[in-house]
Amino acid sequence: MRISVDLNRCQGYGQCCFADPSVFKLRGEEVLEFDPAPGDEHRLKVIRAAKACPVQAIYIGESYEEQEERSHRHE
C-alpha cells in the first residue's frame, strides 16, 4: 500500500493521527508527517484515516509489489 497526502489541502485537523498514530503524526500544530508505505497490517486503519479526513487529503494506492502481483495474475 502506498499513501500520499495533499499537504496543500491538509488543514492539520489530525483525524488521521487518531485513526493510526503509528502512520500519521502531527509535528507542532500543523505539520503532518506520515509513512508513505506502511505495512499491510495498517491497511484498515489507513482506510479509516482517509475516510475521517474532513478535507479528503489522503490518497491510497497500490505499492509497486502489489502492482506487480496484480499484473502477473492477469498474464
Side-chain angles (χ1 to χ4, degrees):
M1 165 176 46
R2 300 273 311 158
I3 60 173
S4 60
V5 177
D6 182 341
L7 296 175
N8 291 318
R9 181 177 273 215
C10 176
Q11 298 295 308
Y13 291 110
Q15 297 303 308
C16 56
C17 301
F18 294 116
D20 194 342
S22 60
V23 173
F24 301 95
K25 293 178 179 52
L26 279 178
R27 183 168 36 95
E29 295 201 17
E30 295 181 1
V31 179
L32 180 67
E33 295 178 343
F34 64 97
D35 179 355
D40 199 48
E41 67 275 11
H42 293 277
R43 183 174 298 279
L44 290 177
K45 288 182 179 181
V46 169
I47 290 169
R48 285 187 196 122
K51 288 180 178 181
C53 180
V55 295
Q56 301 299 293
I58 301 169
Y59 305 96
I60 303 169
E62 294 180 322
S63 67
Y64 176 76
E65 292 81 12
E66 290 169 322
Q67 291 173 6
E68 285 292 306
E69 181 180 316
R70 188 169 40 84
S71 70
H72 288 302
R73 279 187 270 154
H74 293 289
E75 290 179 354

